[in-house]
Each structure stands twice: as C-alpha cells, then as structure tokens.
Amino acid sequence: MFVADASGSMQRALGLTRTEDKLAEARRIGLDAKDQKLFMRDPRELGYPSRWQKLTNELTATLESLNPGAEFGIVFFGSNLDTFAAGLQIATPENKQRGIHWVQRYRPAGGTDPFPAVAQALSMQPDEIFVLTDGEFAPETADRISELNSTRTN
C-alpha cells in the first residue's frame, strides 16, 4: 500500500531551495562569489526534477516491478484524499497500467496532512504501508498515526 504526499510542497525541486541554506552550503564547500551565483539558481533550471517528478517516477517503477498476484493500493493526500481504487488491487498487467496512468495524471496541490490517507490505507488491511512524503506536516500527526495503528490487530 502506497500513501503518497500530493501537496503543493511536492512541486518544489529536489536539492536546496531556501536561499539561506544555499548560501551556507556554498560557503561550506568553498565556492567563490561567481560560483555562488550559479549555485543560487532554481534547482529546476539546473536540471533537478521536482519532488513530485521523483515520487511519480519511483512509484511507476515500483508498480511495474510488482510480481503477478501481489496486491497494491495507492492513496494520495494533499487538498483532497484520493484513492486509486476502493480496495487493494491484484497486480495484473492491466491493473498495474491503470495505476501507473492514474499516478502520472495526478497533479499535487494543497496542504500536507497524511492522517486521513493513512487511516484510509489501514482500513484496507494491507500487509505493509509505505508513506512517501517530503515530511512537512504537523509533529502531532505521527503520534495520531501511531495511536491509530496500535489499535489494529493482525
């Protein structure tokens, strides 16, 4: 089961994006003023993918590699809670392609609260849940998820 962050923050490029972080790193590695200007450019201008591109590429590759008979589910969280299917899907070639198409068409937006998505995933009773996020959510969210998961019986 894949629970993935589809919030607006996932549209940012990988790499350092805050000016202060970039300057500190440029100084740390000893770049001169001219090189620092290049270092300060938007990572997307330098060919870095967005977090969302990286997530969808990795999720697509994972879906493609699922063994026949395995089960999978996908839940995205952002402005909305969106589920690929009402329950776990068997990894047939057709279902994997439908899942890949759904992932690649999706557009991230909104805030980051994984709790409803993890609760939805737990209700499907998967063996494992992989939460894919940039980690920018309220600290108490992890406690709420742990509490919800502790009530689950195997």
Side-chain angles (χ1 to χ4, degrees), residues 86-98:
L88 296 174
Q89 300 293 296
I90 296 178
T92 64
E94 296 82 19
N95 284 343
K96 292 191 307 187
Q97 271 311 116
R98 283 184 334 112

Side-chain angles (χ1 to χ4, degrees), residues 4 7 22 25 52 64 68 74 94 106 116 123 129-130 142 152:
S7 68
K22 289 180 185 180
E25 181 63 8
W52 182 251
E64 288 172 341
I74 308 165
E94 296 82 19
Y106 203 90
S123 75
I129 298 175
F130 299 93
R152 184 179 157 191

Side-chain angles (χ1 to χ4, degrees), residues 1 26 28-29 42 47 58 63 67 74 86 106 112 124 126 149:
M1 169 63 69
R28 187 189 71 75
I29 61 176
D42 184 326
E58 293 297 327
L63 291 173
N67 291 324
I74 308 165
Y106 203 90
T112 306
M124 294 184 201
N149 192 37

Side-chain angles (χ1 to χ4, degrees), residues 21-152:
D21 295 339
K22 289 180 185 180
L23 278 172
E25 181 63 8
R27 288 183 190 114
R28 187 189 71 75
I29 61 176
L31 294 179
D32 63 26
K34 178 184 167 196
D35 290 334
Q36 284 183 20
K37 287 180 184 173
L38 177 64
F39 196 77
M40 296 301 291
R41 291 178 57 195
D42 184 326
R44 286 174 291 199
E45 291 177 31
L46 301 174
Y48 289 95
S50 71
R51 296 169 182 184
W52 182 251
Q53 288 168 317
K54 181 69 172 166
L55 183 144
T56 58
N57 290 346
E58 293 297 327
L59 191 49
T60 295
T62 300
L63 291 173
E64 288 172 341
S65 71
L66 289 174
N67 291 324
E71 294 181 324
F72 73 96
I74 308 165
V75 180
F76 285 153
F77 61 91
S79 291
N80 301 305
L81 172 69
D82 291 308
T83 306
F84 165 63
L88 296 174
Q89 300 293 296
I90 296 178
T92 64
E94 296 82 19
N95 284 343
K96 292 191 307 187
Q97 271 311 116
R98 283 184 334 112
I100 290 166
H101 183 70
W102 187 78
V103 165
Q104 292 177 343
R105 283 190 11 237
Y106 203 90
R107 294 294 168 253
T112 306
D113 181 8
F115 184 78
V118 173
Q120 176 72 26
L122 285 169
S123 75
M124 294 184 201
Q125 301 181 335
D127 292 333
E128 299 173 315
I129 298 175
F130 299 93
V131 179
L132 311 168
T133 182
D134 60 10
E136 295 180 12
F137 50 83
E140 65 273 3
T141 301
D143 295 335
R144 291 176 57 213
I145 291 170
S146 293
E147 184 178 314
L148 182 64
N149 192 37
S150 70
T151 62
R152 184 179 157 191

